[in-house]
């Protein structure tokens, strides 16, 4: 029969949000509309999909509340779709707030055998000029176009790789951006124009694959929760007490959003070393909006081996997955 079917998985988010009036752009309830109903706002969706469409409602959540049970169900649904020879590609409707984290999770754990395309919206489905229908249509176009496997994010007419995409604005329609390098492709009038023609699949961030398990295992999906990891910001007047409190409460890993080139306030350094001595994983990233930490190459700081080559939100997910793969005593 061939890879003819497109699978669309719904998780909720603003794209499925409902407001009291068409003019309301904030204060709405996310995840109120089913994924099947979202398809009805795009009359030529099956035409863009180049074949039949199958929908599945994974969850109906505001993505700020994303949790491991939803992620686990999403991973299982994606795995089933990827293993189905009749599936051409997978599209996922998602909220913008944690979309970059979900994209990175899927990119880390799923094989890059078919396109997996996440899309979203900044306005609820009930808005006078809702952006969700166009984003969904563009995502289906990218998924059905073939030739580019891996995990992608489509929004505002742009196609972003999972490793680079970040939410950079709390309100504007162009809220998703690849800060380093820009979008990988554009969607124009129902056609995809790739800006990086030689990329066979969604690229990973430098050194990022080494942070996570090579492939998803049944052991991971059997977990009731992922290991506890927190992000701690370093800055002026930083103190040790926050780190000490997290360690006392049982945190297993800390990603430090450091200043500049992943530097850390001297008031926090000693607490991080105490945490490391107790077996807590410590990675250092940068709170800068652009760029990643660059090691000095002088070999004077052994902690440079723990520089997170990802934005801190994604580094946190990477550490959770890496910790989950470690044997526990």
């Amino acid at each position: 029969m061939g890879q003819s079917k497109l699978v669309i998985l719904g998780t909720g988010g603003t794209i499925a949000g409902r407001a009291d009036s068409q003019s309301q752009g904030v204060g709405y309830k996310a995840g109120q509309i089913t994924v099947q109903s979202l398809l009805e706002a795009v009359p030529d969706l099956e035409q863009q999909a180049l074949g039949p469409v199958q929908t599945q409602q994974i969850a109906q959540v505001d993505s700020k509340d994303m949790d491991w049970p939803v992620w686990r169900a999403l991973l299982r649904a994606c795995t089933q779709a990827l293993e189905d020879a009749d599936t051409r590609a997978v599209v996922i409707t998602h909220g913008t707030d944690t979309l970059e984290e979900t994209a990175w999770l899927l990119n880390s754990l799923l094989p890059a055998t078919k396109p997996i395309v996440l899309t979203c919206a900044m306005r609820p489905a009930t808005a006078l000029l809702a952006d969700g229908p166009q984003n969904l249509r563009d995502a289906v176009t990218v998924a059905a176009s073939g030739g580019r496997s891996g995990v992608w994010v489509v929004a505002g007419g742009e196609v972003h790789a999972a490793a680079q995409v970040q939410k950079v604005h709390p309100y504007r329609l162009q809220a998703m951006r690849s800060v380093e390098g820009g979008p990988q492709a554009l969607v124009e009038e129902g056609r995809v124009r790739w800006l990086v023609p030689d990329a066979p699949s969604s690229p990973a961030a430098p050194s990022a694959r080494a942070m996570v398990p090579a492939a998803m295992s049944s052991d991971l999906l059997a977990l009731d929760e992922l290991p506890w990891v927190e992000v701690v910001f370093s800055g002026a007047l930083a103190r040790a007490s926050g780190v000490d409190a997290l360690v006392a409460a049982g945190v297993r890993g800390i990603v430090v959003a450091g200043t500049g080139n992943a530097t850390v306030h001297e008031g926090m350094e000693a607490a991080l070393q105490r945490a490391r001595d107790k077996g807590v994983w410590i990675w250092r990233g940068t709170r800068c909006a652009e760029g990643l930490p660059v090691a000095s190459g002088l070999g004077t700081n052994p902690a440079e081996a723990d520089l997170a080559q990802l934005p801190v939100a994604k580094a946190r997910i990477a550490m959770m997955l890496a910790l989950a793969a470690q044997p526990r005593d």
Side-chain angles (χ1 to χ4, degrees):
M1 182 177 177
Q3 297 180 2
S4 60
K5 177 178 61 178
L6 195 72
V7 175
I8 302 182
L9 307 175
T11 66
T14 295
I15 192 171
R18 189 187 301 277
D20 293 333
S21 70
Q22 287 185 306
S23 61
Q24 186 176 349
V26 296
Y28 53 84
K29 292 185 178 180
Q32 300 298 298
I33 298 172
T34 66
V35 64
Q36 184 61 44
S37 296
L38 295 181
L39 270 58
E40 297 172 3
V42 188
D44 65 343
L45 195 76
E46 285 204 5
Q47 179 181 339
Q48 292 301 116
L50 304 178
V53 172
Q54 175 183 310
T55 63
Q56 181 180 350
Q57 195 73 50
I58 302 298
Q60 290 182 257
V61 299
D62 187 322
S63 79
K64 71 179 179 60
D65 300 320
M66 186 58 66
D67 58 19
W68 175 237
V70 175
W71 268 358
R72 187 169 53 188
L74 184 60
L75 283 164
R76 286 172 173 157
C78 286
T79 299
Q80 183 179 1
L82 293 175
E83 292 175 349
D84 186 348
D86 290 335
T87 300
R88 176 190 296 271
V90 178
V91 172
I92 300 167
T93 59
H94 198 286
T96 57
D97 283 350
T98 58
L99 186 147
E100 63 197 83
E101 293 156 80
T102 297
W104 177 246
L105 176 89
L106 301 177
N107 190 70
S108 300
L109 297 178
L110 296 175
T113 56
K114 298 174 184 178
I116 300 174
V117 183
L118 293 92
T119 193
C120 54
M122 289 298 292
R123 293 171 177 166
T126 52
L128 181 63
L129 296 174
D131 54 324
Q134 184 66 58
N135 286 345
L136 178 56
R137 185 178 189 271
D138 288 349
V140 166
T141 298
V142 172
S145 64
R148 300 297 173 104
S149 299
V151 181
W152 307 95
V153 171
V154 174
E158 297 178 339
V159 182
H160 302 275
Q164 282 82 40
V165 69
Q166 298 180 62
K167 183 174 182 178
V168 299
H169 201 280
Y171 183 77
R172 294 176 186 163
L173 295 186
Q174 296 294 128
M176 309 306 297
R177 187 184 306 166
S178 293
V179 176
E180 292 287 297
Q184 301 282 304
L186 303 174
V187 187
E188 301 162 331
E189 294 299 313
R191 298 178 64 87
V192 185
R193 177 163 63 93
W194 290 95
L195 305 176
V196 187
D198 295 330
S201 62
S202 176
S207 305
R209 285 289 185 184
M211 299 179 185
V212 298
M216 184 174 61
S217 69
S218 57
D219 292 339
L220 179 65
L221 292 182
L223 295 176
D224 291 331
E225 59 184 7
L226 291 181
W228 181 21
V229 175
E230 289 292 348
V231 175
V232 173
F233 278 78
S234 181
L237 311 182
R239 297 167 56 179
S241 54
V243 173
D244 291 335
L246 285 171
V247 174
V251 76
R252 291 190 58 195
I254 295 174
V255 177
V256 185
T259 47
N261 194 33
T263 53
V264 178
H265 193 289
E266 61 182 1
M268 188 181 286
E269 284 275 17
L272 292 171
Q273 186 57 54
R274 288 194 297 272
R276 190 188 297 270
D277 292 342
K278 293 181 179 180
V280 177
W281 284 23
I282 307 294
W283 289 354
R284 294 180 300 125
T286 178
R287 69 185 201 183
C288 294
E290 298 187 37
L292 295 171
V294 179
S296 68
L298 300 178
T300 57
N301 184 1
E304 285 180 348
D306 294 326
L307 289 174
Q309 295 299 302
L310 286 168
V312 291
K314 294 178 185 176
R316 175 172 170 264
I317 304 306
M319 183 183 282
M320 288 179 176
L321 297 176
L323 281 166
Q326 298 297 307
R328 294 298 303 271
D329 296 332

